[in-house]
Amino acid sequence: MAKAAIKQQKAEATEARLAGLTLPESGAWAREAREAALERVRSMGLPHRRDEYWKFTDPTSLTAEEPPQASVFETGEPPLFDGVDRLKVVFVDGVFDPEASDDLSLEGIEIERLSEAMAKDIHWVRDLYGKIEGASHEKVDRPLAAFNTAFATDGVVIRVTGKPSKPVSLVYLHKSERSDAILHHCVKVEEGAELTILENGPAAARFSKGLEVDVADTGAFHLVRAQGRDHERRAVTGTFARLGRESTFKTFTLTVNGVMTRNEAYVELTGDEAVCHIAGACLGDGRDFHHDATVFVTHDAVNCESRQVFKNVLRNGATGVFQGKILVKQGAQKTDGYQISQSLLLDDDSTFQAKPELEIYADDVACSHGSTSGAIDADALYYLRARGMAKAEAENLLTLAFVAEALEEIENEAYAEELRERLAGWLERRRDRAAG
Amino acid sequence: MLDIKGLKVKLEEEDKQILKGVDLHVEAGKVHAIMGPNGSGKSTLSYVLSGREGYEVTEGSASLLGEDILDMEPEERAAAGLFLAFQYPVEIPGVGNMTFLRTALNSQRKARGQEEISSADFLKLIREKAKNLQIEPEMLKRAVNVGFSGGEKKRNEILQMAVLEPKMCILDETDSGLDVDAMKLVSDGVNALRDEGRGFLVITHYQRLLNHIKPDVVHIMSDGRIVKTGGPELALEVEENGYGDILNEVA
């Protein structure tokens, strides 16, 4: 198909999708922000299968008018982070649930619902909402992120002024098989302040989430999230961050199950000596599993460090995708950039596609990237079996060990251990299923 | 204890016969040594007995305590009481040494219908065994064999042997890469495990290990067969004259 024809087709498809939608009610500044985002969607066009950035992931189900049905999965397990002392904020199918949530007050932060903030004429979040997302299209179009900014119906905005004693825990419950949730959160971490957000749950049949984080000088932000265990759910998420001097930004994402996941991250290191770690692990079983981690880190200051660590375990025809880029702008000297994406393919049917990229305009930097995919190490497996472990047990132990490297990126050991235990359970259930 | 009869083995990948008819009988309570030049098939014998992939048994049998082991999975052989101390212990990043040992021990116990050992009992057991081999607690916390020196790896093998308490121990070139002190430590560890109910097969190229682990019977292996069997004096003969004389003599 010719380029012009694709463009035409994209424009038509975009208009058709937007035709039935109206921007949610909001105050003046928010209306402006939404309209600007909508304009971005129009000018970029919704993603098309032929788009380079969507080469490995078919966006059709993410842009379709109606989300495909997704049954609700009862895990029979206690919810993740249940034992953690936290400020719980619950969304059911993308709608804030005040009954199930804690009182939104915690020393060191100001937190309120997005809709409330948007109804106000004057609000600090005006300078953040849609701003980092809006800046993220410089090199690559992210129309679904702009779409999220335009149409988000709920979310939280958090201003972090101190060091709260506990994390904010966003709990996303999925109860309706046709729910189509669009959430957008904004977090502003003031100078020297610190916040950890825990996210957990499938959220909806189809979930679009935007998270914009502005970390001021010497601030710190941590995100540990797990995307639930629902098999049929779809999710497209965008994490956008801007980092000030000597600030820290670390995220870890665990994805198990789900027919479609596209997690994008876009981080700008704009202050000297900022640190950014983006890590993830995904475990997929079956032909219907598709997971895509797409990361873009821009170094625009000196002496900054960035790490991308992704581990995928794929079996029975599952598909994993990694697109990771490190962009080092002119003058971003002494950049230390690292990127690794690895997949453990437990059979010949599973697929991992990786597109690691470096684009460097400074001459005094250390950047490296690597990507591997392979089977379980035969020597290690033999060694464990020779010591008495059954094959499936040895495979699980080696698989957990493989994923452990990504889990180690989580600073808080208790959270890491909790996720590790869930992973072990996931592997064990599959082992038992395989054993019949 | 261990009975090997007319064992012939070839490599699966290429049509190459490695073992050409091995007969060996190791009694409980005895230490047998197999010596031989490089390429004689010593290590292949240990791999085939422990169940490594890539080898095809074309003839013969091997049984442990009367049970045919050649059709068993490696883990079944381990549960039946067979242990191979590897010449090249495998590094396993991400798996802690303690987790590895406890999982292995409990797997074997489960396979034998025994109760799993509790964390507290296991800790006590491993501390005691590690102390005897001068293994620092720090080494137990590290990933299996990762960053271990040659000597540490071999001591770790013996530690596993001490914890798993197998009936039949095969030591494949356990002396390779060891200095004199490490060899003494490893040998002491092995000797501590010698008892009436346990058999040993010590595979080595050199006689020096046998100064520390005194064998009852010494076999010379060459070109896939055991060509000569004798007492400890046979090892000394190798030490003095090399393999040449013995091999000429049997040829």
Side-chain angles (χ1 to χ4, degrees):
Chain A
M1 209 186 302
K3 263 192 175 167
I6 293 178
K7 208 174 166 191
Q8 179 66 22
Q9 201 188 48
K10 272 180 74 161
E12 282 168 15
T14 303
E15 285 313 319
R17 175 75 177 99
L18 295 176
L21 298 173
T22 44
L23 294 176
E25 282 292 317
S26 26
W29 71 263
R31 175 138 207 100
E32 229 169 79
R34 288 185 188 281
E35 279 168 356
L38 184 59
E39 193 41 47
R40 288 196 287 276
V41 178
R42 283 213 161 87
S43 71
M44 292 183 275
L46 287 170
H48 185 281
R49 299 193 65 162
R50 297 289 188 102
D51 291 346
E52 180 66 21
Y53 219 42
W54 290 86
K55 194 174 171 179
F56 304 121
T57 298
D58 180 0
T60 309
S61 66
L62 299 173
T63 56
E65 204 171 318
E66 296 283 333
Q69 184 173 327
S71 52
V72 175
F73 185 68
E74 299 293 345
T75 64
E77 287 185 332
L80 205 58
F81 307 128
D82 227 19
V84 176
D85 182 22
R86 57 190 171 150
L87 179 84
K88 203 160 98 173
V89 184
V90 180
F91 295 88
V92 180
D93 290 313
V95 180
F96 175 66
D97 181 347
E99 298 295 311
S101 301
D102 292 332
D103 174 37
L104 295 188
S105 65
L106 178 62
E107 199 174 320
I109 66 171
E110 294 162 19
I111 174 170
E112 64 192 295
R113 260 180 103 168
L114 176 71
S115 51
E116 283 167 14
M118 281 188 143
K120 290 177 183 164
D121 288 338
I122 299 172
H123 199 282
W124 62 263
V125 84
R126 174 187 182 160
D127 296 329
L128 182 52
Y129 189 85
K131 290 294 187 284
I132 308 178
E133 173 265 301
S136 76
H137 312 284
E138 187 185 335
K139 291 271 180 181
V140 196
D141 288 351
R142 304 172 197 281
L144 289 178
F147 184 91
N148 174 286
T149 302
F151 294 103
T153 49
D154 221 327
V156 286
V157 303
I158 305 173
R159 190 150 77 123
V160 189
T161 52
K163 295 180 179 174
S165 58
K166 51 189 174 184
V168 171
S169 169
L170 304 176
V171 178
Y172 303 131
L173 303 179
H174 171 207
K175 292 194 173 168
S176 153
E177 295 190 344
R178 293 278 184 190
S179 53
D180 195 14
I182 310 180
L183 295 182
H184 193 110
H185 311 300
C186 289
V187 179
K188 185 172 167 57
V189 181
E190 304 281 11
E191 194 171 328
E194 282 178 23
L195 180 70
T196 295
I197 287 188
L198 306 174
E199 273 187 307
N200 174 37
R206 182 170 69 183
F207 183 36
S208 161
K209 193 201 73 179
L211 169 65
E212 293 182 277
V213 185
D214 185 8
V215 189
D217 296 350
T218 67
F221 177 82
H222 296 266
L223 171 69
V224 179
R225 72 167 158 173
Q227 297 182 290
R229 277 176 48 198
D230 287 31
H231 291 274
E232 290 158 11
R233 64 111 187 103
R234 287 156 207 278
V236 55
T237 76
T239 304
F240 301 88
R242 184 176 287 150
L243 308 187
R245 179 180 49 81
E246 291 172 55
S247 67
T248 302
F249 177 83
K250 293 187 180 179
T251 75
F252 177 87
T253 304
L254 173 67
T255 310
V256 298
N257 307 342
V259 283
M260 168 60 65
T261 309
R262 164 93 162 198
N263 292 327
E264 289 193 23
Y266 169 87
V267 181
E268 294 173 6
L269 295 99
T270 57
D272 296 348
E273 292 175 51
V275 173
C276 162
H277 291 192
I278 300 172
C282 99
L283 285 85
D285 187 352
R287 225 154 261 296
D288 289 337
F289 179 88
H290 185 101
H291 174 270
D292 174 335
T294 289
V295 179
F296 197 112
V297 173
T298 302
H299 283 262
D300 198 10
V302 300
N303 265 317
C304 291
E305 176 197 312
S306 73
R307 275 172 74 81
Q308 302 171 32
V309 178
F310 284 84
K311 297 269 185 171
N312 304 307
V313 178
L314 304 166
R315 67 197 298 168
N316 294 325
T319 304
V321 175
F322 175 75
Q323 303 189 101
K325 178 154 182 169
I326 305 173
L327 169 65
V328 181
K329 290 200 169 176
Q330 211 171 357
Q333 302 294 14
K334 307 283 181 194
T335 286
D336 178 0
Y338 175 74
Q339 179 195 92
I340 183 92
S341 66
Q342 296 183 302
S343 280
L344 187 59
L345 305 176
L346 295 178
D347 51 56
D348 293 339
D349 297 335
S350 301
T351 319
F352 175 55
Q353 283 162 315
K355 190 180 171 194
E357 279 183 287
L358 298 177
E359 191 177 331
I360 301 172
Y361 298 100
D363 54 9
D364 185 13
V365 302
C367 283
S368 63
H369 65 78
S371 182
T372 64
S373 55
I376 279 187
D377 182 68
D379 286 338
L381 189 62
Y382 163 59
Y383 191 63
L384 296 181
R385 294 179 74 190
R387 293 296 174 255
M389 286 179 220
K391 186 169 180 238
E393 189 172 18
E395 281 174 348
N396 279 0
L397 193 63
L398 292 172
T399 303
L400 261 188
F402 170 81
V403 177
E405 224 178 286
L407 285 168
E408 279 165 17
E409 297 291 316
I410 302 172
E411 243 178 52
N412 183 304
E413 279 177 24
Y415 304 152
E417 181 53 28
E418 192 170 345
L419 293 184
R420 203 195 66 79
E421 277 168 20
R422 295 299 170 112
L423 282 175
W426 189 91
L427 289 168
E428 212 162 297
R429 284 190 297 277
R430 260 142 200 86
R431 181 189 68 189
D432 294 346
R433 207 173 298 162
Chain B
M1 176 66 65
L2 179 68
D3 269 299
I4 303 171
K5 286 183 188 139
L7 189 63
K8 293 189 182 175
V9 172
K10 63 173 194 147
L11 290 179
E12 259 173 17
E13 296 271 308
E14 40 189 313
D15 195 23
K16 191 178 172 193
Q17 201 76 29
I18 308 283
L19 300 184
K20 301 176 178 172
V22 174
D23 291 280
L24 187 68
H25 176 75
V26 181
E27 309 84 352
K30 300 290 184 199
V31 174
H32 284 233
I34 294 186
M35 302 183 72
N38 291 329
S40 57
K42 304 187 301 287
S43 286
T44 296
L45 179 63
S46 73
Y47 290 146
V48 170
L49 291 174
S50 69
R52 191 185 185 128
E53 284 178 9
Y55 301 95
E56 190 189 331
V57 176
T58 54
E59 255 187 85
S61 67
S63 63
L64 181 67
L65 291 163
E67 250 190 301
D68 179 11
I69 56 169
L70 293 179
D71 284 331
M72 291 183 183
E73 298 293 341
E75 57 270 30
E76 293 170 333
R77 302 179 196 206
L82 187 80
F83 182 93
L84 169 65
F86 282 53
Q87 180 178 3
Y88 304 108
V90 181
E91 296 187 8
I92 309 184
V95 177
N97 215 7
M98 288 276 260
T99 307
F100 162 65
L101 270 165
R102 196 177 64 230
T103 311
L105 179 59
N106 279 331
S107 295
Q108 293 200 13
R109 293 177 69 100
K110 256 188 292 183
R112 291 193 289 257
Q114 296 165 319
E115 286 227 349
E116 291 193 18
I117 188 167
S118 73
S119 297
D121 287 346
F122 176 76
L123 208 62
K124 215 174 120 188
L125 173 76
I126 188 120
R127 280 201 182 129
E128 178 203 314
K129 305 283 186 192
K131 201 174 151 201
N132 296 339
L133 285 158
Q134 296 184 19
I135 288 175
E136 302 292 326
E138 183 262 339
M139 216 171 108
L140 296 171
K141 285 185 197 149
R142 275 150 61 185
V144 180
N145 294 323
V146 177
F148 286 24
S149 69
E152 284 175 330
K153 282 181 182 169
K154 295 298 171 78
R155 265 188 284 157
N156 203 29
E157 292 293 292
I158 305 307
L159 173 68
Q160 293 164 33
M161 200 160 91
V163 168
L164 297 171
E165 298 186 320
K167 299 193 177 88
M168 180 67 218
C169 307
I170 304 171
L171 284 73
D172 186 13
E173 309 255 359
T174 294
D175 50 338
S176 68
L178 293 187
D179 60 27
V180 182
D181 292 337
M183 181 135 49
K184 173 123 195 352
L185 211 55
V186 164
S187 305
D188 289 348
V190 173
N191 289 330
L193 286 166
R194 290 179 73 156
D195 77 34
E196 289 302 307
R198 189 169 284 138
F200 285 87
L201 186 60
V202 180
I203 295 170
T204 181
H205 186 78
Y206 300 104
Q207 188 269 339
R208 54 177 196 169
L209 179 67
L210 304 179
N211 286 337
H212 301 282
I213 306 173
K214 299 242 184 311
D216 300 294
V217 183
V218 175
H219 309 273
I220 306 294
M221 194 163 182
S222 171
D223 194 25
R225 286 187 188 87
I226 286 172
V227 293
K228 191 167 183 179
T229 297
E233 71 284 351
L234 196 51
L236 295 170
E237 204 182 316
V238 169
E239 176 74 359
E240 268 175 40
N241 306 323
Y243 288 108
D245 284 4
I246 297 174
L247 297 184
N248 285 336
E249 174 193 324
V250 298

